[in-house]
Amino acid sequence: MGVHKGEIAATGHPMNDQTHQSKITFSDVELARQLFGEHNNHLQRIAQSLGVEIQARGNTVHLQGDEIILRLAQNLLSQLYGLLKERYPIYATDIDYAIRLLSADDSAQLKDIFLDTVYITAKKMAITPKSRSQKEYIDAIRQHDIVFGIGPAGTGKTYLAMAMAVAALTKGTVNRIILTRPAVEAGEALGFLPGDLADKVDPYLRPLYDALHDMMRFEKVTGLMQQGVIEVAPIAFMRGRTLNDSFIILDEAQNTTSEQMKMFLTRIGFSSKAVITGDITQIDLPPQKTSGLIEAKEILAHIAGIKMVFFSQRDVVRHRLVQDIIQAYETVSHKRSPVGNGAQRLAEPLPQP
C-alpha cells in the first residue's frame, strides 16, 4: 500500500470482485498540496492506515481498494479538504483522529468537531475537540454547572477542562480558576514535608501547572497566581470554603475518598462551574477506601444540572501507540478479580452515553 506520484486510469468500476477505483479532483491546487502533505506524507499516512492505494498527480488523487474502505477514504479526503477551506491547518495527528472518527461513524462531520475552538493559546495554537466524546464534553461544560469526565489517561479530560477554564477567565465569565487534586501519595498530610505550601504540594500538582503553561505565557500564569486569580492546591485545602464566581477543576478524582468528594461538591457557590475528571481503572486508594468518583458516578448521574461524560481508548489523543497500550492493559485487567474501592472490575467497560 502506498502513495505514488504519477497518473493511473480511474475507471470508477471494480477491477475485480474486491478492488474498486475512483478519483477526486480538488479545485484549489494550493489547498490540495496542503492536504496531500509534504512529499505526499499525509496521503501516505491515509494509505497505510486504511489499506488503500493512493496515487497523486497535480490536484487529483486516484484511489484503489475495497469498496467500503474506498468510500471511507473519499469521505475522509473530502472532509479534510473542507477543513482546509476553513483555514484549519491539517497535521498528521488530525488525520489519525479523523480516520478514527469516520471509521466509527461515516456520517460524522469533522467541521462540527474540529472547528469548535475552545481556546487559542499564547503560541497561537487552537485547542479544539478531536473526538465525539471530547465534543460532547465541551458542550456539557458549556451547558452544565457540574460535569464529570470519566475515562482513561490521554483522552484530554483535564486539558480541555483547563482550556475551558482559561477561556472563561479571559472572557470574564468567572473571576478565578481553582485547580485541585488529591495528594494521595502523601496521604494529604503534608505538614511533615519541608518548605511552604507550594513546595509541599508542587510534585502532586505539576500536571496542572504543565497544562496551564501550555496555554498561557509563564509570566502571565505567575502573575495571576500571585494575585490569587489562579489557585492550585490539594483538595484538603478546599474544606470550609465557598467558591463563588469560580471555575473549579478537580483532577485525579478517582483518588478522592467518599468524604472528600462530598466536601468538594458542596464547596461550589454562585456563578461557579466545576469539572471533575478521573479514571476509575487507576485508583491509588487503600483497598478498604471507596473511591469518591465511583460513588458519585452511581448516585449523582440523574441529578439535573450534573452531566457525566464517558471516554474510552477511542478518544486517546496522545501518541498513536497510547491507544493500543491502553487497550492491551484493559484486555488483561478485564480478567482480574475485584480489589475494592467500589469498583466491580478493574477495567469494566465504560458506559457510553
Side-chain angles (χ1 to χ4, degrees):
M1 305 299 174
V3 178
H4 308 281
K5 293 183 178 179
E7 195 167 21
I8 63 171
T11 62
H13 56 78
M15 295 178 61
N16 53 49
D17 289 342
Q18 289 80 34
T19 306
H20 291 65
Q21 292 182 338
S22 67
K23 72 175 181 179
I24 308 175
T25 299
F26 301 98
S27 58
D28 189 310
V29 176
E30 173 57 25
L31 291 184
R33 185 189 65 79
Q34 295 177 36
L35 175 63
F36 299 168
E38 187 176 0
H39 305 302
N40 287 339
N41 62 345
H42 288 172
L43 295 182
Q44 183 68 46
R45 196 177 191 93
I46 294 170
Q48 291 176 347
S49 296
L50 298 184
V52 295
E53 189 82 14
I54 303 179
Q55 298 182 356
R57 184 176 181 85
N59 58 337
T60 299
V61 290
H62 300 260
L63 303 100
Q64 179 177 309
D66 174 81
E67 182 179 10
I68 294 176
I69 299 300
L70 206 60
R71 287 203 299 267
L72 172 58
Q74 291 173 310
N75 187 16
L76 174 68
L77 287 166
S78 297
Q79 292 208 45
L80 289 175
Y81 181 73
L83 290 176
L84 286 167
K85 290 173 69 175
E86 298 291 337
R87 299 186 178 181
Y88 181 94
I90 301 297
Y91 299 98
T93 51
D94 292 312
I95 294 172
D96 295 339
Y97 305 146
I99 289 173
R100 199 183 305 169
L101 264 168
L102 296 176
S103 296
D105 180 5
D106 61 3
S107 67
Q109 295 298 309
L110 299 183
K111 285 184 180 181
D112 293 342
I113 298 173
F114 284 32
L115 297 184
D116 186 359
T117 301
V118 175
Y119 184 71
I120 298 177
T121 70
K123 297 179 181 178
K124 305 302 180 185
M125 296 291 291
I127 298 174
T128 69
K130 303 296 184 183
S131 72
R132 276 194 179 279
S133 294
Q134 287 194 353
K135 171 64 173 170
E136 180 190 0
Y137 184 53
I138 291 302
D139 289 340
I141 294 172
R142 289 172 176 145
Q143 297 164 13
H144 296 79
D145 290 335
I146 299 177
V147 174
F148 286 78
I150 302 173
T155 49
K157 304 181 300 295
T158 303
Y159 195 82
L160 286 174
M162 190 79 74
M164 291 291 287
V166 173
L169 182 66
T170 302
K171 294 173 184 175
T173 55
V174 298
N175 294 331
R176 57 180 172 167
I177 297 173
I178 299 174
L179 311 171
T180 186
R181 57 170 16 191
V184 142
E185 297 86 346
E188 295 283 4
L190 300 168
F192 68 91
L193 294 175
D196 59 17
L197 174 62
D199 294 328
K200 295 173 190 290
V201 304
D202 185 77
Y204 310 104
L205 304 175
R206 177 51 52 188
L208 300 179
Y209 288 113
D210 290 343
L212 267 178
H213 292 148
D214 204 28
M215 297 171 198
M216 307 173 74
R217 296 189 309 276
F218 181 85
E219 300 80 6
K220 179 73 170 177
V221 173
T222 302
L224 291 175
M225 292 186 69
Q226 290 173 347
Q227 298 167 34
V229 176
I230 296 179
E231 179 182 345
V232 184
I235 193 171
F237 289 82
M238 297 296 106
R239 192 176 303 278
R241 304 177 63 182
T242 300
L243 306 174
N244 296 319
D245 301 304
S246 303
F247 197 118
I248 314 149
I249 299 172
L250 170 57
D251 190 34
E252 297 289 330
Q254 75 275 5
N255 289 325
T256 60
T257 63
S258 175
E259 296 79 11
Q260 287 173 334
M261 179 63 76
K262 181 181 177 182
M263 179 272 291
F264 172 80
L265 292 172
T266 54
R267 299 308 93 201
I268 299 167
F270 295 107
S271 302
S272 288
K273 191 177 291 287
V275 180
I276 299 96
T277 70
D279 177 1
I280 59 176
T281 70
Q282 299 292 326
I283 298 171
D284 298 319
L285 293 169
Q288 69 273 16
K289 287 283 189 179
T290 297
S291 166
L293 180 60
I294 289 180
E295 184 178 71
K297 180 174 75 75
E298 298 300 326
I299 67 178
L300 302 179
H302 303 296
I303 294 181
I306 296 178
K307 176 69 174 178
M308 305 271 179
V309 179
F310 296 93
F311 297 84
S312 73
Q313 74 276 359
R314 294 191 303 271
D315 302 300
V316 171
V317 290
R318 291 179 181 170
H319 191 286
R320 63 194 307 179
L321 284 175
V322 173
Q323 184 183 19
D324 296 332
I325 291 169
I326 290 173
Q327 180 63 59
Y329 271 97
E330 286 188 352
T331 300
V332 172
S333 296
H334 186 70
K335 302 174 183 178
R336 296 181 180 175
S337 301
V339 292
N341 296 321
Q344 296 176 357
R345 281 185 181 270
L346 262 178
E348 183 178 10
L350 293 172
Q352 296 301 311

